[in-house]
Amino acid sequence: MHCRALFFFTLILSLYAGIASAGPSLVVEVEGIEGRLLENVLARLRIQVYSQDSDLSETEVLRLHQLSEQDIESALAPYGFYSPEITATLSQDEDLWSASYLVDPGQPVIIDSVSISIVGPGEMFADEFKAETPAMKKGDVLNQQVYEAEKRRILREAVTFGFLDAEFLLHEIRIDRRAYTADIELQLDTGNRYHFGEIRVDQDILTENLFFRFIEFDSDDYFSTRRIQQLQRDLYRSDYFSSVVIEADIEAAEDLRVPVDISVEPLNAYNRFSFGLGYSTDIRAYARFEWLNRQLNRWGHRLFSSVQYGELERYVTLNYTIPVVDPRYNALNGSGSWQKKSWDETDTELYSTGLLYDYSTPEHNYGVSLEYLNEDYRVGETTGESQLLMPGVMWTWALADDIVTTRHGIRALLELTGAHENFGSDASFAKLKAEGRAIITPVETFRIIGRGSIGTIQVDSIDSIPPSIRFYAGGQKSVRGYKYRTLGPTDSSGTVIGGKILLTGGIEGEKQFSENWRGIVFYDAGNAMNDINVDLAHGVGAGIGVVLPFGQARLEFAYPINDEGEAQYVYLSVGTDL
């Protein structure tokens, strides 16, 4: 009984002692500053930081309050405020302490001069090292974070050019507190410039010859981290590897030569298959199957095949790609295809085979091609067969912040092709076509999209070339408000037979209403013709769009202003912006 009473007495004393030892509550307020200055003060003000983690005793509160002005001054100094006026107040109401600080940051220190000098073998690259120094220039408010960032950037630039031992001989900020000015002086000693050493490759995925053609530097070239990073990007972009690891073993450098180790891992799966069902206003319902083998062999050959079965368009294509010369950019493509298309009163069936030499970068694509085409067709009451051997050149250029959902971007295409009766063709012609598309976002939730196409065919008679070569207008990617390929010259029966000249364009405004939904208004104009004096067809409309991970789905309603062609009022499409 006595033991139980002693236990409860001890427990009560312990609880009382715990309550008695708990420190007073504390509220900290900082006024007079905001933004990054306030954030940095609160992060460095120890009376604020410590009160968040534990209860403070009266002695600790008084001690930390005495240090508060020093904390605030040190928090403001990195942003150029070296002479703040601080009014500090500490009061107590029973167990509640209130610490308040009214801060006037005062006049900021302004950079009066910036001197950056480069000494050593890298002096010739002084302009590159200092290229971005406008981030820290005369007249700016002194910001020590920017100062430290510039030092790191200059050192990174030195390493990029192979000066691995670069260091600052002098790095000073001299402040005149009376004049509120600062002078910055940096002096970098680049040290010796390093070279690439032995390039060691661990891979058995591609032939050695092909793999080393991806590497645009050799042993004994000047060392550059930028070239290593570019090589890693190129190897990933080749789509032959699932993992690419490149290590420059600086610790093992001898005689200013840095060995480089490259290791890659094979793809988890070489074959990609896709199957889809779709509907497009121009070609109606279709089913499509695609197969891509990204690496058929150690020479890096690829194979791509696509099969589509649709109401108005059917095709089978096969494309075989061989990397040549510089495999990062150059390829030789052999292709073969069968196509069967129908629109309006036109049916065409064609077989083609061709060879294309292609030069491709992320922004540009150039191609020189030779294609053999055999096409049987019916246009209205006219039938025909063409056999053409067509050389051609092609150029495309695209630049965008995002190729799928674009805020600012531009894309251009230029094609030139032709044939001659004396060189394996039953007709002579020359065809030139240019088209472009641009997107700008003048304000955050509104885009303007413009597009246009222009083309000409030099040929004696349009009847001597097949429908796949002729120009037509009308349809979702041409002049909305008119059915697919129903604008152009007609024969005596009223069937659109295509023309020698193409001129189309359109502009649209797109308003973003929510994260995924868009409202669209547009105006299109254009026509296909044999005479430039032919009037253009005009169409206007509106629609809605929803943003998807792979592009945008659109439902558009159009109205044809002219009586030409056949009217088409509703359009449905899915695709990327550019």
Side-chain angles (χ1 to χ4, degrees):
M1 183 71 178
H2 293 291
C3 291
R4 184 178 300 175
L6 181 61
F7 170 78
F8 281 109
F9 180 75
T10 304
L11 180 60
I12 291 170
L13 286 178
S14 300
L15 292 173
Y16 177 79
I19 294 172
S21 63
S25 299
L26 175 64
V27 175
V28 178
E29 294 183 349
V30 178
E31 299 177 310
I33 55 176
E34 58 185 14
R36 62 184 184 179
L37 295 182
L38 178 59
E39 292 174 4
N40 206 41
V41 165
L42 293 176
R44 293 198 181 195
L45 191 58
R46 282 172 282 188
I47 193 171
Q48 161 72 10
V49 175
Y50 294 164
S51 67
Q52 304 300 308
D53 298 331
S54 61
D55 294 323
L56 301 176
S57 67
E58 180 177 341
T59 301
E60 291 172 321
V61 171
L62 294 172
R63 181 179 65 85
L64 292 172
H65 179 66
Q66 291 177 342
L67 298 172
S68 60
E69 292 192 29
Q70 176 184 334
D71 291 342
I72 294 172
E73 289 175 352
S74 67
L76 295 176
Y79 294 97
F81 297 94
Y82 286 84
S83 302
E85 293 183 4
I86 304 167
T87 303
T89 305
L90 181 66
S91 61
Q92 183 181 22
D93 183 8
E94 296 182 354
D95 288 334
L96 177 64
W97 288 85
S98 296
S100 63
Y101 306 96
L102 179 61
V103 181
D104 179 0
Q107 183 177 339
V109 171
I110 304 299
I111 298 175
D112 187 54
S113 67
V114 178
S115 174
I116 301 176
S117 58
I118 310 297
V119 299
E123 185 178 358
M124 67 181 71
F125 297 103
D127 291 340
E128 284 81 358
F129 293 159
K130 296 184 289 185
E132 298 181 22
T133 51
M136 184 177 66
K137 62 184 183 298
K138 181 177 180 178
D140 288 347
V141 173
L142 176 63
N143 187 320
Q144 291 185 22
Q145 292 181 337
V146 172
Y147 167 76
E148 294 295 336
E150 279 297 293
K151 287 168 57 181
R152 292 192 295 270
R153 185 195 63 79
I154 292 172
L155 284 173
R156 285 197 304 271
E157 284 296 310
V159 172
T160 295
F161 285 95
F163 299 102
L164 306 183
D165 298 328
E167 60 179 353
F168 284 103
L169 300 178
L170 180 65
H171 49 98
E172 289 183 349
I173 302 176
R174 296 186 292 272
I175 298 173
D176 186 337
R177 291 179 179 268
R178 289 178 296 181
Y180 294 97
T181 60
D183 297 304
I184 296 174
E185 185 173 2
L186 298 174
Q187 186 179 79
L188 180 76
D189 181 3
T190 63
N192 291 314
R193 193 176 188 186
Y194 283 69
H195 295 73
F196 284 108
E198 181 185 3
I199 301 173
R200 302 181 294 231
V201 176
D202 180 18
Q203 71 91 30
D204 192 32
I205 300 169
L206 301 176
T207 65
E208 181 177 333
N209 175 271
L210 177 59
F211 190 90
F212 271 87
R213 277 154 50 198
F214 281 97
I215 305 174
E216 54 94 23
F217 56 83
D218 297 314
S219 296
D220 294 332
D221 285 353
Y222 284 121
F223 181 84
S224 169
T225 56
R226 188 171 295 164
R227 297 174 82 176
I228 290 177
Q229 293 165 358
Q230 183 61 51
L231 172 60
Q232 187 169 43
R233 287 193 292 267
D234 289 337
L235 290 175
Y236 270 120
R237 195 167 67 93
S238 72
D239 207 21
Y240 290 127
F241 315 106
S242 63
S243 172
V244 178
V245 177
I246 305 177
E247 295 180 339
D249 194 352
I250 296 174
E251 298 298 325
E254 293 183 0
D255 299 326
L256 301 179
R257 281 166 169 73
V258 181
V260 176
D261 293 298
I262 305 173
S263 61
V264 295
E265 295 294 331
L267 296 170
N268 297 323
Y270 290 97
N271 291 297
R272 285 180 176 173
F273 302 96
S274 64
F275 176 79
L277 301 174
Y279 182 88
S280 170
T281 306
D282 290 343
I283 63 173
R284 300 182 187 174
Y286 62 86
R288 181 182 298 157
F289 171 79
E290 293 182 343
W291 166 47
L292 170 65
N293 185 296
R294 292 179 283 176
Q295 185 188 340
L296 282 169
N297 49 46
R298 296 182 68 241
W299 290 272
H301 297 186
R302 305 183 196 273
L303 182 65
F304 173 76
S305 179
S306 180
V307 179
Q308 176 174 297
Y309 187 89
E311 290 185 65
L312 300 180
E313 186 173 303
R314 305 167 191 176
Y315 63 74
V316 178
T317 65
L318 191 67
N319 187 282
Y320 194 91
T321 303
I322 303 172
V324 295
V325 191
D326 187 337
R328 297 174 301 168
Y329 310 116
N330 302 94
L332 189 63
N333 297 281
S335 64
S337 69
W338 165 83
Q339 298 180 42
K340 188 172 184 179
K341 299 180 180 182
S342 299
W343 66 88
D344 197 25
E345 294 297 321
T346 300
D347 298 297
T348 179
E349 183 175 11
L350 63 87
Y351 300 86
S352 70
T353 183
L355 199 62
L356 168 68
Y357 181 80
D358 186 65
Y359 176 84
S360 180
T361 71
E363 295 179 1
H364 297 271
N365 179 249
Y366 307 92
V368 179
S369 64
L370 182 64
E371 179 185 9
Y372 172 76
L373 173 70
N374 185 302
E375 183 169 355
D376 289 312
Y377 55 90
R378 177 188 67 84
V379 180
E381 298 177 354
T382 303
T383 61
E385 179 180 358
S386 288
Q387 297 185 38
L388 301 172
L389 183 63
M390 302 180 295
V393 293
M394 174 270 296
W395 169 79
T396 61
W397 174 59
L399 184 64
D401 52 5
D402 187 325
I403 202 70
V404 177
T405 304
T406 307
R407 297 184 72 251
H408 300 282
I410 187 169
R411 181 179 180 275
L413 166 69
L414 183 65
E415 291 181 316
L416 174 63
T417 188
H420 198 280
E421 292 176 332
N422 294 333
F423 297 96
S425 300
D426 53 19
S428 297
F429 74 93
K431 179 180 180 180
L432 177 65
K433 181 182 179 182
E435 61 183 40
R437 183 176 178 88
I439 300 174
I440 60 172
T441 304
V443 295
E444 186 63 30
T445 60
F446 185 77
R447 296 195 308 174
I448 299 174
I449 303 171
R451 60 180 173 83
S453 298
I454 185 170
T456 180
I457 303 174
Q458 299 300 313
V459 66
D460 291 336
S461 170
I462 198 71
D463 294 327
S464 65
I465 56 176
S468 64
I469 306 296
R470 306 174 190 179
F471 287 128
Y472 296 82
Q476 188 162 33
K477 296 181 179 180
S478 179
V479 184
R480 285 164 287 190
Y482 304 87
K483 278 188 177 182
Y484 181 58
R485 294 189 172 186
T486 61
L487 291 175
T490 59
D491 61 11
S492 58
S493 67
T495 300
V496 177
I497 61 174
K500 302 177 183 180
I501 301 172
L502 176 69
L503 183 62
T504 66
I507 187 167
E508 62 184 63
E510 181 186 279
K511 172 66 177 175
Q512 177 181 345
F513 294 114
S514 67
E515 183 178 355
N516 294 321
W517 289 94
R518 310 286 190 267
I520 305 157
V521 294
F522 59 84
Y523 163 76
D524 292 341
N527 213 329
M529 60 202 85
N530 291 325
D531 187 338
I532 196 65
N533 295 320
V534 172
D535 293 335
L536 300 181
H538 303 267
V540 295
I544 55 173
V546 58
V547 176
L548 303 172
F550 46 83
Q552 188 176 147
R554 286 181 164 215
L555 177 62
E556 298 168 334
F557 302 90
Y559 179 76
I561 297 177
N562 305 73
D563 293 331
E564 299 183 44
E566 295 184 32
Q568 175 80 59
Y569 299 104
V570 182
Y571 296 89
L572 176 65
S573 67
V574 178
T576 59
D577 288 336
L578 207 60

